Amino acid sequence: MIERIWSGRSLLWLLLWPFSLLYGAITALIRFSYRRGWHKSWRAPLPVVVVGNLTAGGNGKTPVVIWLVEALQQRGLRAGVVSRGYGGKADHYPLLVTAQTSTEQAGDEPVLIAQRTGAPVAVAPERRRAIEALLQQGTLDVIITDDGLQHYALQRDREIVVVDGVRRFGNGWWLPAGPMRERASRLTQVDAVIINGGEAQSDEIAMQLQPGLATHLLTGETCSADKLGAVVAMAGIGHPPRFFTTLKQQGITPVAEIAFADHHAYSKDELTRLVQPGQQLLMTEKDAVKCRHFAQPDWWYLPVDAHLTGKAVTPLLADIEQLCRRTL
C-alpha cells in the first residue's frame, strides 16, 4: 500500500499531504539552524564522505559503501566506516564492530560492511562519537558514513547520493505522503549521484548490482545459483522486489518469493517453515548475517557487488584520494 501511495498511483497521499508539509517545514528549519550556527556541527580531524539518500527505503546504499571502501583500500588509503546502526540495540554507544558483534547489537548493515571489507566500523546515533571511537583504535585517512546525509551535526567534505533508478522519487513529496526526506533539488548540492538500476542521465553515475556465487551459510561452499534446484527466495531489505528481479535475470524462477520488512529480526522456526523437503532457501547477504548462527543445511545467500560505470567514476575516486592525501 505504501508503495502505491508514494508512487502516486493511490490518491491516499492527499490525505497525508498536510503532514508532509509539516515534515518539510521541520527539516528545512533544522538545516537552516545549522547553517546559521544556532546548532553546532562538528568537524572531524580527517575527511568525511557521506553516502546517503533522499528517500526512505532501500536504494542500494550499503553496496556503494562497500564498493567505496574497497576502492579506497586499493589506492592505499585506510578507510573507517560509521553508522547509526539502525535496528541494533547495543548496551552502550559508541560500539566498535568486531567478529563477535551480533546484528542485534549493531544492526545488519554495519556487520555486513565489517565482514566484507575488513575495515574498522563503529556504530552510534551520534556519528561524532563513532568517529572518535575509531580514531582511538588507530590511524585512518578517511571516514565513510553509511547514511547520514541529513545528519547535519556532522560536517562533511563530500556527499554521495544513491538513487533507485527505477522508482526514483515517486510522487516527489516529503514523508509521509511521499518517500522524500529532502526534495530532489538537493541533488544540485552534492558531489556525486549514483543511479542504482534504471537509466542514468549524463551527469549521473550508473550502477548495477552484480550477483556472485550462491554461498552456503554453514560451510561457505559456493556454486552458481541456478544449480540449486527448487529455490524459495526471501529478502528483508528496503526493496525486496529488487532481489527477486536479480534472481530472474540470472535465469532463476523461485517457487516462492517471500518479502520481509527491512531489518526484520528472524527466528530459526520462522524460516524453517518456509522450505519444503527438496527445496533450498536463498536469501540476501544482508539477511544472511542475521541468520548464520542458526542456519540450516539448506540455506544459501547470494552476495552482490556494486558495479559503477561512467566517466565520473574515476574523477570521484581521484578527488577523494586527493582530499585524503592533502591531510596526511
Side-chain angles (χ1 to χ4, degrees), residues 203-229:
D203 57 343
E204 300 170 336
I205 296 174
M207 166 182 157
Q208 296 293 331
L209 292 177
Q210 295 186 338
L213 295 173
T215 304
H216 197 268
L217 267 72
L218 289 176
T219 67
E221 171 193 356
T222 61
C223 73
S224 177
D226 60 4
K227 304 298 184 184
L228 293 179

mmCIF file with all atom_site columns, all heavy atoms in Angstrom, residues 203-229:
data_model
loop_
_atom_site.group_PDB
_atom_site.id
_atom_site.type_symbol
_atom_site.label_atom_id
_atom_site.label_alt_id
_atom_site.label_comp_id
_atom_site.label_asym_id
_atom_site.label_entity_id
_atom_site.label_seq_id
_atom_site.pdbx_PDB_ins_code
_atom_site.Cartn_x
_atom_site.Cartn_y
_atom_site.Cartn_z
_atom_site.occupancy
_atom_site.B_iso_or_equiv
_atom_site.pdbx_formal_charge
_atom_site.auth_seq_id
_atom_site.auth_comp_id
_atom_site.auth_asym_id
_atom_site.auth_atom_id
_atom_site.pdbx_PDB_model_num
ATOM 1   N N   . ASP A 1 203 ? 24.866 13.274  -16.339 1.00 0.00 ? 203 ASP A N   1
ATOM 2   C CA  . ASP A 1 203 ? 25.628 13.785  -15.204 1.00 0.00 ? 203 ASP A CA  1
ATOM 3   C C   . ASP A 1 203 ? 25.559 12.848  -13.995 1.00 0.00 ? 203 ASP A C   1
ATOM 4   O O   . ASP A 1 203 ? 25.963 13.228  -12.892 1.00 0.00 ? 203 ASP A O   1
ATOM 5   C CB  . ASP A 1 203 ? 25.134 15.176  -14.802 1.00 0.00 ? 203 ASP A CB  1
ATOM 6   C CG  . ASP A 1 203 ? 23.638 15.196  -14.473 1.00 0.00 ? 203 ASP A CG  1
ATOM 7   O OD1 . ASP A 1 203 ? 22.928 14.238  -14.859 1.00 0.00 ? 203 ASP A OD1 1
ATOM 8   O OD2 . ASP A 1 203 ? 23.181 16.168  -13.835 1.00 0.00 ? 203 ASP A OD2 1
ATOM 9   N N   . GLU A 1 204 ? 25.059 11.631  -14.185 1.00 0.00 ? 204 GLU A N   1
ATOM 10  C CA  . GLU A 1 204 ? 24.920 10.670  -13.093 1.00 0.00 ? 204 GLU A CA  1
ATOM 11  C C   . GLU A 1 204 ? 25.826 9.463   -13.334 1.00 0.00 ? 204 GLU A C   1
ATOM 12  O O   . GLU A 1 204 ? 26.237 9.187   -14.467 1.00 0.00 ? 204 GLU A O   1
ATOM 13  C CB  . GLU A 1 204 ? 23.469 10.213  -12.973 1.00 0.00 ? 204 GLU A CB  1
ATOM 14  C CG  . GLU A 1 204 ? 22.492 11.344  -12.680 1.00 0.00 ? 204 GLU A CG  1
ATOM 15  C CD  . GLU A 1 204 ? 21.039 10.926  -12.796 1.00 0.00 ? 204 GLU A CD  1
ATOM 16  O OE1 . GLU A 1 204 ? 20.757 9.939   -13.520 1.00 0.00 ? 204 GLU A OE1 1
ATOM 17  O OE2 . GLU A 1 204 ? 20.182 11.589  -12.195 1.00 0.00 ? 204 GLU A OE2 1
ATOM 18  N N   . ILE A 1 205 ? 26.122 8.736   -12.263 1.00 0.00 ? 205 ILE A N   1
ATOM 19  C CA  . ILE A 1 205 ? 26.925 7.519   -12.338 1.00 0.00 ? 205 ILE A CA  1
ATOM 20  C C   . ILE A 1 205 ? 25.980 6.325   -12.344 1.00 0.00 ? 205 ILE A C   1
ATOM 21  O O   . ILE A 1 205 ? 25.140 6.189   -11.447 1.00 0.00 ? 205 ILE A O   1
ATOM 22  C CB  . ILE A 1 205 ? 27.899 7.424   -11.153 1.00 0.00 ? 205 ILE A CB  1
ATOM 23  C CG1 . ILE A 1 205 ? 28.921 8.567   -11.213 1.00 0.00 ? 205 ILE A CG1 1
ATOM 24  C CG2 . ILE A 1 205 ? 28.618 6.074   -11.137 1.00 0.00 ? 205 ILE A CG2 1
ATOM 25  C CD1 . ILE A 1 205 ? 29.836 8.635   -9.992  1.00 0.00 ? 205 ILE A CD1 1
ATOM 26  N N   . ALA A 1 206 ? 26.104 5.489   -13.364 1.00 0.00 ? 206 ALA A N   1
ATOM 27  C CA  . ALA A 1 206 ? 25.256 4.299   -13.462 1.00 0.00 ? 206 ALA A CA  1
ATOM 28  C C   . ALA A 1 206 ? 25.804 3.198   -12.567 1.00 0.00 ? 206 ALA A C   1
ATOM 29  O O   . ALA A 1 206 ? 27.011 3.001   -12.452 1.00 0.00 ? 206 ALA A O   1
ATOM 30  C CB  . ALA A 1 206 ? 25.189 3.819   -14.904 1.00 0.00 ? 206 ALA A CB  1
ATOM 31  N N   . MET A 1 207 ? 24.904 2.469   -11.933 1.00 0.00 ? 207 MET A N   1
ATOM 32  C CA  . MET A 1 207 ? 25.294 1.383   -11.042 1.00 0.00 ? 207 MET A CA  1
ATOM 33  C C   . MET A 1 207 ? 24.403 0.177   -11.287 1.00 0.00 ? 207 MET A C   1
ATOM 34  O O   . MET A 1 207 ? 23.197 0.297   -11.468 1.00 0.00 ? 207 MET A O   1
ATOM 35  C CB  . MET A 1 207 ? 25.176 1.834   -9.578  1.00 0.00 ? 207 MET A CB  1
ATOM 36  C CG  . MET A 1 207 ? 25.231 0.723   -8.549  1.00 0.00 ? 207 MET A CG  1
ATOM 37  S SD  . MET A 1 207 ? 25.011 1.387   -6.877  1.00 0.00 ? 207 MET A SD  1
ATOM 38  C CE  . MET A 1 207 ? 24.416 -0.068  -6.005  1.00 0.00 ? 207 MET A CE  1
ATOM 39  N N   . GLN A 1 208 ? 25.033 -0.977  -11.320 1.00 0.00 ? 208 GLN A N   1
ATOM 40  C CA  . GLN A 1 208 ? 24.312 -2.238  -11.398 1.00 0.00 ? 208 GLN A CA  1
ATOM 41  C C   . GLN A 1 208 ? 24.817 -3.139  -10.270 1.00 0.00 ? 208 GLN A C   1
ATOM 42  O O   . GLN A 1 208 ? 26.002 -3.133  -9.951  1.00 0.00 ? 208 GLN A O   1
ATOM 43  C CB  . GLN A 1 208 ? 24.535 -2.925  -12.749 1.00 0.00 ? 208 GLN A CB  1
ATOM 44  C CG  . GLN A 1 208 ? 24.001 -2.147  -13.939 1.00 0.00 ? 208 GLN A CG  1
ATOM 45  C CD  . GLN A 1 208 ? 22.490 -2.041  -13.957 1.00 0.00 ? 208 GLN A CD  1
ATOM 46  O OE1 . GLN A 1 208 ? 21.797 -2.922  -13.449 1.00 0.00 ? 208 GLN A OE1 1
ATOM 47  N NE2 . GLN A 1 208 ? 21.965 -0.972  -14.552 1.00 0.00 ? 208 GLN A NE2 1
ATOM 48  N N   . LEU A 1 209 ? 23.899 -3.889  -9.677  1.00 0.00 ? 209 LEU A N   1
ATOM 49  C CA  . LEU A 1 209 ? 24.282 -4.863  -8.660  1.00 0.00 ? 209 LEU A CA  1
ATOM 50  C C   . LEU A 1 209 ? 24.547 -6.191  -9.353  1.00 0.00 ? 209 LEU A C   1
ATOM 51  O O   . LEU A 1 209 ? 23.639 -6.791  -9.941  1.00 0.00 ? 209 LEU A O   1
ATOM 52  C CB  . LEU A 1 209 ? 23.186 -5.001  -7.604  1.00 0.00 ? 209 LEU A CB  1
ATOM 53  C CG  . LEU A 1 209 ? 22.961 -3.777  -6.716  1.00 0.00 ? 209 LEU A CG  1
ATOM 54  C CD1 . LEU A 1 209 ? 21.795 -4.010  -5.759  1.00 0.00 ? 209 LEU A CD1 1
ATOM 55  C CD2 . LEU A 1 209 ? 24.217 -3.434  -5.928  1.00 0.00 ? 209 LEU A CD2 1
ATOM 56  N N   . GLN A 1 210 ? 25.774 -6.636  -9.301  1.00 0.00 ? 210 GLN A N   1
ATOM 57  C CA  . GLN A 1 210 ? 26.161 -7.866  -9.970  1.00 0.00 ? 210 GLN A CA  1
ATOM 58  C C   . GLN A 1 210 ? 26.237 -9.003  -8.950  1.00 0.00 ? 210 GLN A C   1
ATOM 59  O O   . GLN A 1 210 ? 27.034 -8.940  -8.004  1.00 0.00 ? 210 GLN A O   1
ATOM 60  C CB  . GLN A 1 210 ? 27.510 -7.695  -10.663 1.00 0.00 ? 210 GLN A CB  1
ATOM 61  C CG  . GLN A 1 210 ? 27.472 -6.679  -11.793 1.00 0.00 ? 210 GLN A CG  1
ATOM 62  C CD  . GLN A 1 210 ? 28.767 -6.623  -12.563 1.00 0.00 ? 210 GLN A CD  1
ATOM 63  O OE1 . GLN A 1 210 ? 29.823 -7.009  -12.070 1.00 0.00 ? 210 GLN A OE1 1
ATOM 64  N NE2 . GLN A 1 210 ? 28.698 -6.127  -13.786 1.00 0.00 ? 210 GLN A NE2 1
ATOM 65  N N   . PRO A 1 211 ? 25.422 -10.036 -9.120  1.00 0.00 ? 211 PRO A N   1
ATOM 66  C CA  . PRO A 1 211 ? 25.432 -11.146 -8.168  1.00 0.00 ? 211 PRO A CA  1
ATOM 67  C C   . PRO A 1 211 ? 26.664 -12.022 -8.337  1.00 0.00 ? 211 PRO A C   1
ATOM 68  O O   . PRO A 1 211 ? 27.187 -12.181 -9.442  1.00 0.00 ? 211 PRO A O   1
ATOM 69  C CB  . PRO A 1 211 ? 24.150 -11.913 -8.522  1.00 0.00 ? 211 PRO A CB  1
ATOM 70  C CG  . PRO A 1 211 ? 23.897 -11.584 -9.959  1.00 0.00 ? 211 PRO A CG  1
ATOM 71  C CD  . PRO A 1 211 ? 24.393 -10.181 -10.162 1.00 0.00 ? 211 PRO A CD  1
ATOM 72  N N   . GLY A 1 212 ? 27.104 -12.572 -7.205  1.00 0.00 ? 212 GLY A N   1
ATOM 73  C CA  . GLY A 1 212 ? 28.201 -13.521 -7.230  1.00 0.00 ? 212 GLY A CA  1
ATOM 74  C C   . GLY A 1 212 ? 27.662 -14.941 -7.177  1.00 0.00 ? 212 GLY A C   1
ATOM 75  O O   . GLY A 1 212 ? 26.544 -15.217 -7.622  1.00 0.00 ? 212 GLY A O   1
ATOM 76  N N   . LEU A 1 213 ? 28.450 -15.845 -6.610  1.00 0.00 ? 213 LEU A N   1
ATOM 77  C CA  . LEU A 1 213 ? 28.035 -17.228 -6.469  1.00 0.00 ? 213 LEU A CA  1
ATOM 78  C C   . LEU A 1 213 ? 27.193 -17.408 -5.213  1.00 0.00 ? 213 LEU A C   1
ATOM 79  O O   . LEU A 1 213 ? 27.437 -16.753 -4.196  1.00 0.00 ? 213 LEU A O   1
ATOM 80  C CB  . LEU A 1 213 ? 29.257 -18.141 -6.397  1.00 0.00 ? 213 LEU A CB  1
ATOM 81  C CG  . LEU A 1 213 ? 30.124 -18.216 -7.655  1.00 0.00 ? 213 LEU A CG  1
ATOM 82  C CD1 . LEU A 1 213 ? 31.384 -19.026 -7.369  1.00 0.00 ? 213 LEU A CD1 1
ATOM 83  C CD2 . LEU A 1 213 ? 29.347 -18.813 -8.815  1.00 0.00 ? 213 LEU A CD2 1
ATOM 84  N N   . ALA A 1 214 ? 26.209 -18.272 -5.296  1.00 0.00 ? 214 ALA A N   1
ATOM 85  C CA  . ALA A 1 214 ? 25.436 -18.616 -4.104  1.00 0.00 ? 214 ALA A CA  1
ATOM 86  C C   . ALA A 1 214 ? 26.377 -19.239 -3.078  1.00 0.00 ? 214 ALA A C   1
ATOM 87  O O   . ALA A 1 214 ? 27.240 -20.058 -3.424  1.00 0.00 ? 214 ALA A O   1
ATOM 88  C CB  . ALA A 1 214 ? 24.319 -19.585 -4.462  1.00 0.00 ? 214 ALA A CB  1
ATOM 89  N N   . THR A 1 215 ? 26.238 -18.833 -1.826  1.00 0.00 ? 215 THR A N   1
ATOM 90  C CA  . THR A 1 215 ? 27.154 -19.262 -0.775  1.00 0.00 ? 215 THR A CA  1
ATOM 91  C C   . THR A 1 215 ? 26.377 -19.924 0.359   1.00 0.00 ? 215 THR A C   1
ATOM 92  O O   . THR A 1 215 ? 25.387 -19.388 0.842   1.00 0.00 ? 215 THR A O   1
ATOM 93  C CB  . THR A 1 215 ? 27.939 -18.056 -0.223  1.00 0.00 ? 215 THR A CB  1
ATOM 94  O OG1 . THR A 1 215 ? 28.608 -17.394 -1.309  1.00 0.00 ? 215 THR A OG1 1
ATOM 95  C CG2 . THR A 1 215 ? 28.969 -18.499 0.802   1.00 0.00 ? 215 THR A CG2 1
ATOM 96  N N   . HIS A 1 216 ? 26.846 -21.091 0.768   1.00 0.00 ? 216 HIS A N   1
ATOM 97  C CA  . HIS A 1 216 ? 26.190 -21.849 1.828   1.00 0.00 ? 216 HIS A CA  1
ATOM 98  C C   . HIS A 1 216 ? 26.467 -21.185 3.178   1.00 0.00 ? 216 HIS A C   1
ATOM 99  O O   . HIS A 1 216 ? 27.622 -20.870 3.507   1.00 0.00 ? 216 HIS A O   1
ATOM 100 C CB  . HIS A 1 216 ? 26.704 -23.292 1.831   1.00 0.00 ? 216 HIS A CB  1
ATOM 101 C CG  . HIS A 1 216 ? 25.837 -24.244 2.586   1.00 0.00 ? 216 HIS A CG  1
ATOM 102 N ND1 . HIS A 1 216 ? 26.038 -24.534 3.919   1.00 0.00 ? 216 HIS A ND1 1
ATOM 103 C CD2 . HIS A 1 216 ? 24.763 -24.981 2.193   1.00 0.00 ? 216 HIS A CD2 1
ATOM 104 C CE1 . HIS A 1 216 ? 25.125 -25.408 4.314   1.00 0.00 ? 216 HIS A CE1 1
ATOM 105 N NE2 . HIS A 1 216 ? 24.342 -25.698 3.287   1.00 0.00 ? 216 HIS A NE2 1
ATOM 106 N N   . LEU A 1 217 ? 25.430 -20.976 3.966   1.00 0.00 ? 217 LEU A N   1
ATOM 107 C CA  . LEU A 1 217 ? 25.592 -20.268 5.230   1.00 0.00 ? 217 LEU A CA  1
ATOM 108 C C   . LEU A 1 217 ? 26.455 -21.029 6.230   1.00 0.00 ? 217 LEU A C   1
ATOM 109 O O   . LEU A 1 217 ? 27.168 -20.407 7.020   1.00 0.00 ? 217 LEU A O   1
ATOM 110 C CB  . LEU A 1 217 ? 24.226 -19.965 5.869   1.00 0.00 ? 217 LEU A CB  1
ATOM 111 C CG  . LEU A 1 217 ? 23.620 -18.606 5.530   1.00 0.00 ? 217 LEU A CG  1
ATOM 112 C CD1 . LEU A 1 217 ? 23.127 -18.580 4.097   1.00 0.00 ? 217 LEU A CD1 1
ATOM 113 C CD2 . LEU A 1 217 ? 22.468 -18.262 6.480   1.00 0.00 ? 217 LEU A CD2 1
ATOM 114 N N   . LEU A 1 218 ? 26.390 -22.344 6.218   1.00 0.00 ? 218 LEU A N   1
ATOM 115 C CA  . LEU A 1 218 ? 27.120 -23.140 7.209   1.00 0.00 ? 218 LEU A CA  1
ATOM 116 C C   . LEU A 1 218 ? 28.552 -23.443 6.790   1.00 0.00 ? 218 LEU A C   1
ATOM 117 O O   . LEU A 1 218 ? 29.478 -23.340 7.603   1.00 0.00 ? 218 LEU A O   1
ATOM 118 C CB  . LEU A 1 218 ? 26.384 -24.451 7.480   1.00 0.00 ? 218 LEU A CB  1
ATOM 119 C CG  . LEU A 1 218 ? 25.067 -24.358 8.249   1.00 0.00 ? 218 LEU A CG  1
ATOM 120 C CD1 . LEU A 1 218 ? 24.421 -25.734 8.350   1.00 0.00 ? 218 LEU A CD1 1
ATOM 121 C CD2 . LEU A 1 218 ? 25.303 -23.787 9.640   1.00 0.00 ? 218 LEU A CD2 1
ATOM 122 N N   . THR A 1 219 ? 28.752 -23.806 5.539   1.00 0.00 ? 219 THR A N   1
ATOM 123 C CA  . THR A 1 219 ? 30.061 -24.300 5.105   1.00 0.00 ? 219 THR A CA  1
ATOM 124 C C   . THR A 1 219 ? 30.868 -23.299 4.301   1.00 0.00 ? 219 THR A C   1
ATOM 125 O O   . THR A 1 219 ? 32.083 -23.466 4.164   1.00 0.00 ? 219 THR A O   1
ATOM 126 C CB  . THR A 1 219 ? 29.891 -25.566 4.260   1.00 0.00 ? 219 THR A CB  1
ATOM 127 O OG1 . THR A 1 219 ? 29.227 -25.226 3.019   1.00 0.00 ? 219 THR A OG1 1
ATOM 128 C CG2 . THR A 1 219 ? 29.072 -26.607 5.012   1.00 0.00 ? 219 THR A CG2 1
ATOM 129 N N   . GLY A 1 220 ? 30.220 -22.277 3.737   1.00 0.00 ? 220 GLY A N   1
ATOM 130 C CA  . GLY A 1 220 ? 30.908 -21.359 2.851   1.00 0.00 ? 220 GLY A CA  1
ATOM 131 C C   . GLY A 1 220 ? 31.077 -21.896 1.444   1.00 0.00 ? 220 GLY A C   1
ATOM 132 O O   . GLY A 1 220 ? 31.678 -21.240 0.586   1.00 0.00 ? 220 GLY A O   1
ATOM 133 N N   . GLU A 1 221 ? 30.545 -23.090 1.187   1.00 0.00 ? 221 GLU A N   1
ATOM 134 C CA  . GLU A 1 221 ? 30.593 -23.673 -0.157  1.00 0.00 ? 221 GLU A CA  1
ATOM 135 C C   . GLU A 1 221 ? 29.888 -22.733 -1.134  1.00 0.00 ? 221 GLU A C   1
ATOM 136 O O   . GLU A 1 221 ? 28.898 -22.086 -0.794  1.00 0.00 ? 221 GLU A O   1
ATOM 137 C CB  . GLU A 1 221 ? 29.897 -25.034 -0.140  1.00 0.00 ? 221 GLU A CB  1
ATOM 138 C CG  . GLU A 1 221 ? 29.677 -25.655 -1.514  1.00 0.00 ? 221 GLU A CG  1
ATOM 139 C CD  . GLU A 1 221 ? 28.717 -26.839 -1.475  1.00 0.00 ? 221 GLU A CD  1
ATOM 140 O OE1 . GLU A 1 221 ? 28.293 -27.218 -0.356  1.00 0.00 ? 221 GLU A OE1 1
ATOM 141 O OE2 . GLU A 1 221 ? 28.387 -27.359 -2.549  1.00 0.00 ? 221 GLU A OE2 1
ATOM 142 N N   . THR A 1 222 ? 30.411 -22.651 -2.357  1.00 0.00 ? 222 THR A N   1
ATOM 143 C CA  . THR A 1 222 ? 29.799 -21.786 -3.367  1.00 0.00 ? 222 THR A CA  1
ATOM 144 C C   . THR A 1 222 ? 29.425 -22.579 -4.610  1.00 0.00 ? 222 THR A C   1
ATOM 145 O O   . THR A 1 222 ? 30.036 -23.604 -4.919  1.00 0.00 ? 222 THR A O   1
ATOM 146 C CB  . THR A 1 222 ? 30.755 -20.652 -3.776  1.00 0.00 ? 222 THR A CB  1
ATOM 147 O OG1 . THR A 1 222 ? 31.952 -21.204 -4.335  1.00 0.00 ? 222 THR A OG1 1
ATOM 148 C CG2 . THR A 1 222 ? 31.104 -19.766 -2.583  1.00 0.00 ? 222 THR A CG2 1
ATOM 149 N N   . CYS A 1 223 ? 28.410 -22.076 -5.289  1.00 0.00 ? 223 CYS A N   1
ATOM 150 C CA  . CYS A 1 223 ? 28.015 -22.650 -6.576  1.00 0.00 ? 223 CYS A CA  1
ATOM 151 C C   . CYS A 1 223 ? 27.158 -21.633 -7.303  1.00 0.00 ? 223 CYS A C   1
ATOM 152 O O   . CYS A 1 223 ? 26.685 -20.655 -6.706  1.00 0.00 ? 223 CYS A O   1
ATOM 153 C CB  . CYS A 1 223 ? 27.263 -23.971 -6.391  1.00 0.00 ? 223 CYS A CB  1
ATOM 154 S SG  . CYS A 1 223 ? 25.579 -23.786 -5.764  1.00 0.00 ? 223 CYS A SG  1
ATOM 155 N N   . SER A 1 224 ? 26.977 -21.856 -8.591  1.00 0.00 ? 224 SER A N   1
ATOM 156 C CA  . SER A 1 224 ? 26.091 -20.986 -9.345  1.00 0.00 ? 224 SER A CA  1
ATOM 157 C C   . SER A 1 224 ? 24.665 -21.143 -8.820  1.00 0.00 ? 224 SER A C   1
ATOM 158 O O   . SER A 1 224 ? 24.199 -22.258 -8.568  1.00 0.00 ? 224 SER A O   1
ATOM 159 C CB  . SER A 1 224 ? 26.147 -21.351 -10.829 1.00 0.00 ? 224 SER A CB  1
ATOM 160 O OG  . SER A 1 224 ? 25.248 -20.557 -11.569 1.00 0.00 ? 224 SER A OG  1
ATOM 161 N N   . ALA A 1 225 ? 23.986 -20.027 -8.626  1.00 0.00 ? 225 ALA A N   1
ATOM 162 C CA  . ALA A 1 225 ? 22.653 -20.078 -8.014  1.00 0.00 ? 225 ALA A CA  1
ATOM 163 C C   . ALA A 1 225 ? 21.672 -20.905 -8.831  1.00 0.00 ? 225 ALA A C   1
ATOM 164 O O   . ALA A 1 225 ? 20.744 -21.505 -8.266  1.00 0.00 ? 225 ALA A O   1
ATOM 165 C CB  . ALA A 1 225 ? 22.112 -18.657 -7.831  1.00 0.00 ? 225 ALA A CB  1
ATOM 166 N N   . ASP A 1 226 ? 21.863 -20.988 -10.158 1.00 0.00 ? 226 ASP A N   1
ATOM 167 C CA  . ASP A 1 226 ? 20.930 -21.755 -10.968 1.00 0.00 ? 226 ASP A CA  1
ATOM 168 C C   . ASP A 1 226 ? 21.147 -23.262 -10.835 1.00 0.00 ? 226 ASP A C   1
ATOM 169 O O   . ASP A 1 226 ? 20.404 -24.047 -11.440 1.00 0.00 ? 226 ASP A O   1
ATOM 170 C CB  . ASP A 1 226 ? 21.000 -21.326 -12.428 1.00 0.00 ? 226 ASP A CB  1
ATOM 171 C CG  . ASP A 1 226 ? 22.384 -21.512 -13.031 1.00 0.00 ? 226 ASP A CG  1
ATOM 172 O OD1 . ASP A 1 226 ? 23.286 -22.036 -12.343 1.00 0.00 ? 226 ASP A OD1 1
ATOM 173 O OD2 . ASP A 1 226 ? 22.577 -21.118 -14.192 1.00 0.00 ? 226 ASP A OD2 1
ATOM 174 N N   . LYS A 1 227 ? 22.141 -23.677 -10.040 1.00 0.00 ? 227 LYS A N   1
ATOM 175 C CA  . LYS A 1 227 ? 22.383 -25.093 -9.792  1.00 0.00 ? 227 LYS A CA  1
ATOM 176 C C   . LYS A 1 227 ? 21.723 -25.588 -8.508  1.00 0.00 ? 227 LYS A C   1
ATOM 177 O O   . LYS A 1 227 ? 21.828 -26.764 -8.153  1.00 0.00 ? 227 LYS A O   1
ATOM 178 C CB  . LYS A 1 227 ? 23.889 -25.375 -9.705  1.00 0.00 ? 227 LYS A CB  1
ATOM 179 C CG  . LYS A 1 227 ? 24.689 -24.929 -10.921 1.00 0.00 ? 227 LYS A CG  1
ATOM 180 C CD  . LYS A 1 227 ? 24.276 -25.639 -12.184 1.00 0.00 ? 227 LYS A CD  1
ATOM 181 C CE  . LYS A 1 227 ? 25.181 -25.233 -13.363 1.00 0.00 ? 227 LYS A CE  1
ATOM 182 N NZ  . LYS A 1 227 ? 24.732 -25.833 -14.636 1.00 0.00 ? 227 LYS A NZ  1
ATOM 183 N N   . LEU A 1 228 ? 21.029 -24.684 -7.808  1.00 0.00 ? 228 LEU A N   1
ATOM 184 C CA  . LEU A 1 228 ? 20.453 -25.047 -6.510  1.00 0.00 ? 228 LEU A CA  1
ATOM 185 C C   . LEU A 1 228 ? 19.164 -25.850 -6.641  1.00 0.00 ? 228 LEU A C   1
ATOM 186 O O   . LEU A 1 228 ? 18.699 -26.436 -5.665  1.00 0.00 ? 228 LEU A O   1
ATOM 187 C CB  . LEU A 1 228 ? 20.188 -23.787 -5.681  1.00 0.00 ? 228 LEU A CB  1
ATOM 188 C CG  . LEU A 1 228 ? 21.419 -23.002 -5.218  1.00 0.00 ? 228 LEU A CG  1
ATOM 189 C CD1 . LEU A 1 228 ? 20.988 -21.765 -4.435  1.00 0.00 ? 228 LEU A CD1 1
ATOM 190 C CD2 . LEU A 1 228 ? 22.342 -23.870 -4.386  1.00 0.00 ? 228 LEU A CD2 1
ATOM 191 N N   . GLY A 1 229 ? 18.565 -25.861 -7.796  1.00 0.00 ? 229 GLY A N   1
ATOM 192 C CA  . GLY A 1 229 ? 17.299 -26.569 -7.957  1.00 0.00 ? 229 GLY A CA  1
ATOM 193 C C   . GLY A 1 229 ? 16.129 -25.701 -7.539  1.00 0.00 ? 229 GLY A C   1
ATOM 194 O O   . GLY A 1 229 ? 16.089 -24.499 -7.820  1.00 0.00 ? 229 GLY A O   1
#
